[in-house]
Amino acid sequence: EGGVPVDIKFDELCFDEKWKEARRIVIVACGTAYHAGVVAKYVFEQLARVPVVVDVASEFRYRNPILCKDDIFIVISQSGETADTLAALRLAKQNGVHVTAITNCVGSTVSREADDVVYTWAGPEIAVASTKAYTTQLMCLCMLALKSAFIKETISASDYKKYLCELNFIPEKVQQILEDKASIQRFVSKNYNKQKVFFIGRQYDSATSLECALKLKEVSYMHSEAFAAGELKHGPIAIVEEWSAMHPRKTRQDVLLEQYPEANLDKYGIIQICPAAFFSSYRSPKLGCTNSHMMCHDCRRRFWTQEADND
């Protein structure tokens, strides 16, 4: 209405009683698609208040999973031909579970064998780094979570419309990040020779960090790992050294800073990715690092994060 979205409609998927009555959601995928599923777990559980299990397809197919007929089973595959994901889909069907597929390829095996399908419409996959496949999978999953929350009445009609409006601004906010390439180039010019790169974060940021580490491996062949921020001090801190770079991701004001004091931060480069509203809190001596850089964007604010909305 007037350019403002008022509802979500999936042409290929019917939101009926099975979504409203679902007791659990199971998401199975590989690689980048799996990372999208990990992010979706937080969104579904926060908005729709339904438990979510996320599994790597190559592991799921070789164990004896416990599946119930009132589960919503979601498989994600860019190509629609991923062997392990297909095996997981068929295993779910053998157990009488309703399967919804998220894929980019019309007519693929996954799209034909699933009960329902949601297409990402990301266009042909060109680069090795599957960036647009990831972002479109994430968008589809977030819209599924929003619609599910709305029909389950776990969010109000006003909040539903607010989230839809925020989704509508995503392209504009992505463009803001791309236009600030000078900040990225400045950090890279000083840290391109690092031998280890670590991505850390909490909740949504922890899940996104998994994909960040994978992308860096794919495009640069550098050693990179991702950790939940709270786990940094439980072992990984031992391998942080002078030739390391760290990328903390933060969309909550009350986390992350307490994870740093155990390390000598001046030995390695840090780039903090966070909303612009948090910028001032990192310019204090508490961070204690003279070799740190900031990438602060209002567009990094997660549209589903209540804490960020209240700041």
Side-chain angles (χ1 to χ4, degrees):
E1 295 179 2
V4 178
V6 294
D7 199 4
I8 297 172
K9 183 178 184 299
F10 295 95
D11 292 334
E12 313 91 349
L13 176 64
C14 176
F15 269 88
D16 52 21
E17 286 299 310
K18 68 178 178 293
W19 282 87
K20 188 174 183 178
E21 302 299 330
R23 298 177 59 187
R24 184 179 67 157
I25 293 175
V26 180
I27 301 175
V28 177
C30 299
T32 287
Y34 167 75
H35 296 159
V38 177
V39 177
K41 171 184 171 68
Y42 289 99
V43 187
F44 271 105
E45 291 188 343
Q46 179 174 324
L47 297 182
R49 305 306 299 160
V50 58
V52 179
V53 175
V54 187
D55 216 334
V56 177
S58 58
E59 291 296 308
F60 182 88
R61 64 177 295 192
Y62 289 115
R63 60 184 177 84
N64 187 21
I66 301 173
L67 295 171
C68 303
K69 295 186 185 301
D70 55 0
D71 287 341
I72 295 291
F73 194 89
I74 301 175
V75 294
I76 314 170
S77 171
Q78 188 283 136
S79 66
E81 303 294 343
T82 310
D84 290 323
T85 305
L86 273 170
L89 182 156
R90 290 163 180 164
L91 180 58
K93 297 272 287 185
Q94 290 171 10
N95 283 269
V97 180
H98 189 94
V99 177
T100 297
I102 297 177
T103 184
N104 188 39
C105 297
V106 178
S108 61
T109 307
V110 162
S111 68
R112 295 197 309 270
E113 295 192 12
D115 298 295
D116 294 318
V117 60
V118 176
Y119 291 110
T120 59
W121 303 113
E125 188 64 61
I126 304 299
V128 172
S130 183
T131 51
K132 64 180 181 179
Y134 175 74
T135 53
T136 52
Q137 287 166 0
L138 206 53
M139 186 66 77
C140 288
L141 287 162
C142 288
M143 290 192 293
L144 284 171
L146 274 174
K147 187 69 173 182
S148 178
F150 184 61
I151 66 172
K152 291 168 74 70
E153 300 180 350
T154 55
I155 60 173
S156 66
S158 60
D159 282 342
Y160 181 59
K161 290 183 179 180
K162 180 185 70 173
Y163 290 132
L164 291 181
C165 288
E166 290 295 328
L167 279 176
N168 203 39
F169 285 117
I170 292 295
E172 176 185 327
K173 293 179 178 181
V174 170
Q175 187 60 38
Q176 290 177 26
I177 295 176
L178 296 177
E179 289 174 355
D180 192 23
K181 62 182 179 181
S183 298
I184 303 171
Q185 291 172 336
R186 183 166 58 254
F187 178 79
V188 171
S189 67
K190 295 183 179 181
N191 294 279
Y192 69 92
N193 60 343
K194 299 296 185 182
Q195 297 178 2
K196 302 173 185 176
V197 180
F198 303 98
F199 295 87
I200 63 172
R202 282 191 171 168
Q203 295 190 343
Y204 300 98
D205 300 322
S206 174
T208 305
S209 293
L210 296 171
E211 181 62 11
C212 293
L214 177 60
K215 285 293 161 280
L216 189 62
K217 291 186 183 83
E218 289 180 319
V219 302
S220 69
Y221 304 103
M222 294 176 66
H223 175 77
S224 58
E225 295 186 55
F227 304 103
E231 293 300 301
L232 183 63
K233 59 182 176 291
H234 296 297
I237 196 72
I239 58 174
V240 176
E241 54 190 17
E242 182 176 357
W243 297 104
S244 302
M246 186 171 295
H247 300 262
R249 304 177 54 84
K250 174 180 172 63
T251 53
R252 289 184 55 183
Q253 188 90 23
D254 58 335
V255 298
L256 276 187
L257 281 179
E258 71 274 17
Q259 303 304 327
Y260 293 148
E262 298 179 36
N264 184 348
L265 301 180
D266 283 322
K267 286 187 176 182
Y268 54 90
I270 293 180
I271 182 168
Q272 173 75 57
I273 304 173
C274 66
F278 297 172
F279 181 75
S280 60
S281 66
Y282 288 106
R283 297 186 64 83
S284 67
K286 186 175 181 181
L287 184 59
C289 180
T290 59
N291 189 28
S292 64
H293 299 256
M294 311 297 297
M295 278 187 63
C296 302
H297 301 281
D298 283 320
C299 46
R300 298 310 302 168
R301 189 184 302 278
R302 304 289 187 219
F303 71 92
W304 55 80
T305 304
Q306 297 292 335
E307 293 87 349
D309 289 339
N310 295 330
D311 286 334

